[in-house]
Amino acid sequence: MFIIYVSLNYQKLPIDIREKFVLSKDELVQANRLLNEEKSILENVILSTCNRTDVYAVVDQIHTGRYYIKRFLANWFHMDLDQINRWVEIGTKEAAVTHLMRVSTGLESLIVGEPQILGQVKDAFFLARDNQTTGAILDHLFKQAITFSKKMHTDYRVSELAQTSGQVGLHQIKQTLGSVDGKRLAIVGLGEVGDHVLKNASTMGFGQILILNHHDSKAIEQAGQYPEMIDARPWRQLLATLKQSDAVVMATSSKQALLSGDAIANTSALKIIIDLGVPRNVTKAGLPDHVSYYDIDHITGIITENKIEKQQMLNKIADQVPAAVQDFFVWQKQLHVVPVIRQLRESSLNVEKVVYDSLLRKLPDLDAHQRKVISKHMKSIINQMIKGPIKEIKELSVQDGANADLRFFCDIFGLSFDEIISQQRSSKKEKSKQSQDATREVQKVYEK
């Protein structure tokens, strides 16, 4: 069995082509099922977002799996197979696992490091699993990718590093005030920048947001699109509004300063001014010491620092992907030891049952509670005794000469190694038989 991914994404396709390959949630249900019925496809998950449509699959043969996935995409989206061949990105084995780890952590996103993709990966996996198009391999792979990505987003909070002037300004306000709960924010100017600030601030938890614009009608219109905690104030009340506020964002295109530091020197409520205007909306001279002031140069400097820090974080995440990929393949290598572990558990529990039944015959007066306690402790003894051997055989199973170690292990514990191997071969033979016809067909039409 092999893992493969086939991707149609923003890195190779412009939006006018990429938008043709988006699947809705309802379509994903049917698409997963139909893909799962294709020859060579053993397991599959389809991820579809505005920037990518990825197919992750477990296939019995790489060349047949690759062909049938591409043919499925061509049929589903009513495209020629030649077009799909030009546009798709394909990877197998380690490349496929690496791709999923990078996608789920946001390393392959248009906005690098964004966390939303993790939720989309989770949704895609759960939908496929619920519709029974996944199995042991993709179940483990996606669970590992989700766990890995959660850890990366927790350890490196890339998305919290503000990248725009408005975001940085609001972050500085939050840092200065400590908490925005119950605080009053004034936003002056509702052009592109001010509108962006308003959208972000509206979800931060301010007690009240006061908005002002040279044209009062625009402020009133904007306030009407938000909850009651956002209130429009007349332009003539600019100074009075600022004095009543805990924080101010100035974002007008005025050709001259709107107020001086001296004008608000006697206010006690105001703690911070973010001046995003060029020319600056506020002259700093006369500002009281308790009011922090940031102009666009201060904000740009913070953005530059954030970009450097963000890239450093992204590099650290990327550096940890190979270890996550290796962990998956270590798990996969240990799959052949699962029947041995299962047989060991069954054999141990059979011994426990024989001894337990013998004990009950010798102590017939035990009540139900006493029997339950004895049974529980006997199973605990068994589990503790086989815990060490199981751990050791899992480690030996990924080393050279693993079969010899497994045979020796089975001899020690009285297990049938030959029976385990025979069962595995029968299973593989059956799967191989199912794909022989598909292999011969594809060999005739396999693309250049």
Side-chain angles (χ1 to χ4, degrees):
M1 293 186 292
F2 305 92
I3 300 173
I4 185 173
Y5 85 91
V6 176
S7 178
L8 296 155
N9 60 65
Y10 75 93
Q11 293 171 329
K12 296 188 69 172
L13 303 180
I15 184 64
D16 59 323
I17 296 177
R18 193 169 72 247
E19 63 189 1
K20 302 178 186 297
F21 296 105
V22 178
L23 292 94
S24 68
K25 183 177 179 179
D26 290 339
E27 288 175 323
L28 281 173
V29 173
Q30 184 182 5
N32 270 305
R33 289 174 177 170
L34 288 176
L35 176 59
N36 200 246
E37 294 172 1
E38 292 280 354
K39 296 176 182 178
S40 198
I41 309 300
L42 306 177
E43 304 178 30
N44 57 268
V45 174
I46 302 175
L47 168 68
S48 186
T49 74
C50 57
N51 289 318
R52 68 175 59 254
T53 291
D54 285 1
V55 174
Y56 300 89
V58 175
V59 300
D60 53 9
Q61 298 288 336
I62 289 178
H63 57 285
T64 53
R66 183 169 50 194
Y67 170 79
Y68 281 109
I69 292 173
K70 291 189 295 184
R71 192 186 74 168
F72 165 80
L73 291 172
N75 291 339
W76 181 273
F77 293 110
H78 307 292
M79 296 281 183
D80 291 335
L81 188 57
D82 288 341
Q83 291 176 304
I84 297 295
N85 282 329
R86 289 199 303 271
W87 293 331
V88 293
E89 172 186 311
I90 300 175
T92 63
K93 303 177 183 177
E94 287 84 356
V97 176
T98 299
H99 182 76
L100 178 60
M101 296 296 176
R102 290 182 60 87
V103 167
S104 61
T105 52
L107 291 174
E108 295 295 326
S109 294
L110 184 59
I111 302 176
V112 185
E114 54 89 12
Q116 288 82 4
I117 186 65
L118 175 56
Q120 294 167 324
V121 169
K122 288 169 61 177
D123 290 344
F125 166 59
F126 293 148
L127 185 144
R129 186 190 64 182
D130 292 346
N131 285 277
Q132 301 179 337
T133 65
T134 65
I137 302 296
L138 289 189
D139 281 354
H140 186 88
L141 175 59
F142 272 82
K143 287 176 183 177
Q144 182 185 336
I146 290 167
T147 300
F148 174 70
S149 301
K150 283 181 178 178
K151 186 177 188 305
M152 293 300 99
H153 287 306
T154 299
D155 292 349
Y156 308 103
R157 299 186 178 276
V158 176
S159 61
E160 294 184 4
L161 292 172
Q163 299 295 307
T164 67
S165 59
Q167 291 173 340
V168 171
L170 289 170
H171 180 72
Q172 293 305 119
I173 288 173
K174 186 174 182 180
Q175 277 196 324
T176 300
L177 299 180
S179 171
V180 300
D181 293 344
K183 297 298 193 305
R184 180 178 291 168
L185 169 69
I187 300 175
V188 182
L190 295 172
E192 183 178 348
V193 175
D195 187 47
H196 177 72
V197 172
L198 176 58
K199 288 179 180 178
N200 282 276
S202 65
T203 63
M204 289 178 61
F206 284 97
Q208 187 178 25
I209 299 177
L210 307 175
I211 58 176
L212 302 93
N213 194 68
H214 271 294
H215 300 288
D216 292 343
S217 59
K218 185 171 184 179
I220 295 171
E221 180 184 352
Q222 286 285 74
Q225 300 176 20
Y226 290 90
E228 294 181 359
M229 46 88 67
I230 296 178
D231 186 28
R233 292 290 175 88
W235 184 255
R236 65 178 183 276
Q237 294 181 11
L238 173 62
L239 183 57
T241 301
L242 300 191
K243 288 184 176 182
Q244 297 169 3
S245 302
D246 298 286
V248 174
V249 176
M250 305 290 294
T252 78
S253 56
S254 175
K255 296 296 183 181
Q256 57 187 7
L258 299 176
L259 72 157
S260 66
D262 293 328
I264 52 176
N266 62 346
T267 181
S268 60
L270 188 58
K271 299 295 188 298
I272 179 171
I273 297 174
I274 304 297
D275 190 349
L276 303 179
V278 180
R280 288 174 291 181
N281 293 170
V282 179
T283 55
K284 189 178 178 182
L287 274 177
D289 293 337
H290 71 271
V291 177
S292 299
Y293 174 83
Y294 295 85
D295 63 23
I296 193 63
D297 284 355
H298 296 130
I299 298 299
T300 301
I302 294 172
I303 291 175
T304 300
E305 292 174 0
N306 285 353
K307 286 182 178 178
I308 295 172
E309 186 177 356
K310 177 180 180 179
Q311 189 57 56
Q312 291 172 342
M313 288 184 176
L314 293 172
N315 291 341
K316 289 179 180 178
I317 294 174
D319 289 343
Q320 295 188 54
V321 168
V325 174
Q326 183 181 13
D327 287 346
F328 171 77
F329 283 103
V330 167
W331 170 83
Q332 190 177 43
K333 286 180 180 178
Q334 291 176 336
L335 281 178
H336 69 288
V337 82
V338 171
V340 176
I341 295 173
R342 184 185 301 114
Q343 198 174 100
L344 174 62
R345 288 189 185 279
E346 291 174 353
S347 176
S348 301
L349 289 174
N350 285 336
V351 172
E352 182 270 336
K353 185 179 184 304
V354 170
V355 175
Y356 178 69
D357 290 343
S358 175
L359 182 63
L360 292 186
R361 287 193 297 270
K362 294 175 181 177
L363 300 172
D365 296 332
L366 294 174
D367 60 31
H369 174 70
Q370 291 169 329
R371 293 183 180 193
K372 183 176 181 181
V373 170
I374 291 172
S375 176
K376 179 179 178 181
H377 280 75
M378 289 181 69
K379 284 183 170 64
S380 178
I381 292 171
I382 292 294
N383 288 332
Q384 290 299 317
M385 289 184 66
I386 65 176
K387 181 178 180 181
I390 288 175
K391 180 180 179 181
E392 185 66 24
I393 197 60
K394 288 177 71 175
E395 293 177 357
L396 291 173
S397 68
V398 297
Q399 298 179 10
D400 294 337
N403 277 352
D405 291 329
L406 285 175
R407 182 179 290 279
F408 181 62
F409 182 90
C410 289
D411 289 342
I412 290 174
F413 288 96
L415 309 178
S416 176
F417 179 75
D418 290 334
E419 180 182 341
I420 293 170
I421 294 298
S422 176
Q423 291 175 351
Q424 290 178 330
R425 287 174 177 170
S426 296
S427 176
K428 290 180 180 179
K429 185 177 180 180
E430 179 63 26
K431 291 177 181 176
S432 177
K433 184 179 179 182
Q434 293 174 356
S435 66
Q436 286 178 355
D437 293 340
T439 302
R440 283 192 286 268
E441 179 183 341
V442 174
Q443 286 174 342
K444 297 177 182 179
V445 296
Y446 183 58
E447 69 279 12
K448 296 180 181 179

